[in-house]
Each structure stands twice: as C-alpha cells, then as structure tokens.
Amino acid sequence: GFSLWLKFCVESSVRLRVQKDGKLTMAGITPEAVDAMFPRVNGELHPMTSQLRDYVTAGDSTRYDQLGKDMVRLNVSSNLLIQKWHDICFARCTRIIEVKHRLHRHGGAIVDFMELYLRRGGDTIFLHDDNLTLEDYGADNGMELYFKDNDPHSLAKNGGLEDVSLVQKYEISEEDYEKREKTLRNYVKKQREQDPNFRLFANRPKDLPGQEGAPERPATPENVGELYAIGARCQVGPGDRRGAVGYVGPVEGTDGTWIGVALDEPQGLNDGTKNGKHYFDCTGNKYGCFSRPENVEVGDFPERDPFACLDEEDEI
C-alpha cells in the first residue's frame, strides 16, 4: 500500500518535492507518471498527495536549524539542463573556482566555460572572481546558484545529458539475426524440424481457470448477496487491497459471480466499468476491481493510515 511505498521512499532516499501548485515530483519519475499515480479528486489534491506534501514539507521552517554556521545550503540550476539540485551543502569559505569544479561533477560543464551567478532573491550577481568565496558574495541558505555553460560543444546541449531518445539503440538486420545460432527463433526452428507440432509453452502448468486439469473454483454461496453486502468493508487478494463492496453479480462477457470493490488506493484495473458497462462508482481510474468471492474477505478492514509504519519516536 501507500505506507509501504512511502517507507521505501524514505529508506531509499528518494528525492521528493512538492511544488507551490501542490504537484508532487520524484527523482526518476516523470511528473505525468506522478499525476497518474495520484490524480486530483473533484479538483482538489489527492488525499495521499496532500498527506505526502505535509510529510515532505513538515520540517521546512526548521530545515536550517541544525546546520553549522559555517555551512550553507543552496539550490542549483543551469541554462542547459532541465534538472535542478536542491539544498546542496557548501562551506561558506568555499572559493568560486572550487564551486565550479564541484558543479562540473553534477552537470558536466567544463570549468573554463562556466559562468556562475548567485540569485539572492532581490537581485542576481555575477560571481566573476574565482578566488573569492561564497561568503564574500553574501551567499545564504535558500539562495540559488545558476551556472551558465558557454561551451559550444557541451554534451548538455539539446538534451544531450537528459534526453534518452537521443541515445543510439542497438539494431540488427534480419540477415545478421538469422546467422546467429543461439537465438530463440533458431531454437524453435530446430525443435519443429523434429516435431512439427512443437509449441514453446506446451509444458507450462495447466492451473489457470478454464484449462484442462485446472482445479475447480469453490461454489458461489447462495446467500452471496448477504455475505458481500453493498458498502461492506473488505480486503481483496492478492495484495491485501482494502476497500468497500460496490457490486455483486455477473459481469457481461464472463461466467459466474463477481464482487466489484471500490478500492481505497489506485491498485485496481478499472473505475467500476467493464467492457463499456458501468457497474459501480469509485474514486477514479484504477480504484475499481472485480474479483471472485473466494478472493474477497469481508470484515473489519478500515482504511490504512499511510503513516502507521512510522515509529512514535520519529515525530514529537
């Protein structure tokens, strides 16, 4: 669930950032993907986004309290890169030339072609003297270092360090592929020379419903409507997904009885609609699922607290 995902982010030091408009960004995940994971509800922030925003920004007002007086945290951006780095820690006595060498390791810009600027909120100044320090220029917490890469052959130009679509992909012609011996295609070809009826996955376990030899499903209880009352809290397997029963009955195009569940988290495959027919309401896309009765357990399954995994000592 969400609590485990949040715990993973914290323990793995995943960079989480909430923008002023409430949008959540995570390092390595596109904003579009994040929006899909946490869609807005009735124009408002998704509850998980709101809770995560509060979690991420909880220490913003005191974030510099434990920082040594000789240190400073600065944001860093560049003219050629989309990515930004937040709260990079520097010693105030760091010389500008040393800052440039450090930023070279972050953004790839060659020191000799780098111009460095300090955005101090009310003004922006050019850090022209490499021998002066950040303290000499009045650098303070929360200010932004902006480096301009003037190298005409910079690797960062035109997305060279960020746009993966520019990376040349390995391609092989049909002729060259046919010449290779240890390929799947060649393996299947040799097997069919020995057995024309050979199928690659002919020996896989026949344990899926509808297949020969598959175990029979448990009979649907006659009082299924009473056992799975509409609105009853439940837990769905696999994954122990929680939600409320939204529908009980047949689903067009399938056999047997299904339980439609409005999930608490976007862990389903639909929004209560199947094959173009709407069966029950839920929060949004991926908040609905249809499951067999034997996979749904009705009981005392309240909505999970996303911060239940945190120890009491983590917050006072």
Side-chain angles (χ1 to χ4, degrees):
F2 171 75
S3 59
L4 295 179
W5 174 85
L6 174 59
K7 186 176 181 181
F8 165 78
C9 290
V10 173
E11 293 180 351
S12 303
S13 300
V14 173
R15 285 285 186 175
L16 303 173
R17 183 175 177 83
V18 180
Q19 300 175 351
K20 292 182 179 179
D21 60 359
K23 284 190 175 181
L24 177 69
T25 61
M26 291 178 282
I29 305 178
T30 64
E32 293 77 14
V34 176
D35 289 340
M37 293 166 60
F38 306 106
R40 287 181 176 264
V41 180
N42 298 325
E44 301 294 331
L45 287 178
H46 188 284
M48 292 184 185
T49 307
S50 180
Q51 293 171 354
L52 187 56
R53 177 189 59 186
D54 295 340
Y55 176 83
V56 173
T57 61
D60 278 8
S61 60
T62 59
R63 58 203 274 216
Y64 304 128
D65 290 356
Q66 303 301 318
L67 190 65
K69 63 179 181 179
D70 296 326
M71 306 300 292
V72 62
R73 289 189 177 274
L74 302 173
N75 300 322
V76 179
S77 62
S78 167
N79 64 318
L80 297 182
L81 298 173
I82 297 176
Q83 59 183 295
K84 298 181 180 181
W85 304 283
H86 303 283
D87 277 0
I88 303 297
C89 193
F90 294 91
R92 294 179 184 270
C93 62
T94 305
R95 294 184 302 139
I96 301 305
I97 187 63
E98 296 171 332
V99 174
K100 289 182 177 180
H101 278 285
R102 185 172 176 183
L103 294 182
H104 163 71
R105 294 193 293 271
H106 277 279
I110 297 177
V111 173
D112 292 340
F113 289 96
M114 190 186 300
E115 290 181 3
L116 199 57
Y117 298 84
L118 180 64
R119 293 173 173 172
R120 304 190 295 186
D123 60 359
T124 299
I125 58 175
F126 175 41
L127 310 186
H128 65 281
D129 192 336
D130 286 346
N131 292 314
L132 293 181
T133 66
L134 289 172
E135 188 173 26
D136 292 331
Y137 284 108
D140 205 355
N141 291 319
M143 293 182 180
E144 180 181 354
L145 279 176
Y146 177 83
F147 68 91
K148 186 175 181 181
D149 186 354
N150 293 318
D151 184 1
H153 306 292
S154 174
L155 294 176
K157 294 189 69 173
N158 303 315
L161 295 179
E162 297 176 304
D163 189 352
V164 296
S165 66
L166 300 177
V167 179
Q168 185 177 0
K169 310 300 188 297
Y170 175 75
E171 297 180 359
I172 185 172
S173 65
E174 283 290 326
E175 293 78 9
D176 291 336
Y177 185 76
E178 285 290 348
K179 294 177 182 178
R180 296 192 173 190
E181 295 184 2
K182 296 182 179 180
T183 63
L184 179 61
R185 181 187 299 177
N186 198 33
Y187 170 78
V188 173
K189 182 180 179 180
K190 290 181 179 180
Q191 293 300 316
R192 286 180 176 171
E193 289 175 355
Q194 302 175 13
D195 179 8
N197 297 320
F198 171 80
R199 288 189 302 144
L200 189 60
F201 300 108
N203 296 324
R204 64 180 176 180
K206 297 181 178 181
D207 57 356
L208 299 178
Q211 289 188 353
E212 182 181 352
E216 294 185 3
R217 286 186 48 251
T220 300
E222 294 183 0
N223 60 339
V224 63
E226 299 177 7
L227 296 176
Y228 300 92
I230 302 299
R233 293 292 301 178
C234 63
Q235 184 167 272
V236 186
D240 294 340
R241 296 165 291 168
R242 293 188 179 183
V245 176
Y247 173 78
V248 180
V251 173
E252 188 174 325
T254 66
D255 297 326
T257 301
W258 294 86
I259 309 297
V261 179
L263 300 169
D264 298 332
E265 302 178 15
Q267 298 174 327
L269 297 176
N270 52 65
D271 61 352
T273 300
K274 191 69 175 176
N275 298 328
K277 183 176 179 179
H278 187 70
Y279 291 88
F280 63 94
D281 295 328
C282 54
T283 303
N285 189 31
K286 297 186 181 299
Y287 279 85
C289 76
F290 292 90
S291 187
R292 294 297 189 182
E294 59 265 26
N295 295 326
V296 180
E297 181 182 359
V298 173
D300 183 17
F301 297 109
E303 187 172 354
R304 288 188 174 93
D305 180 358
F307 303 106
C309 63
L310 301 179
D311 296 332
E312 294 181 357
E313 297 180 354
D314 292 337
E315 185 174 329
I316 60 174

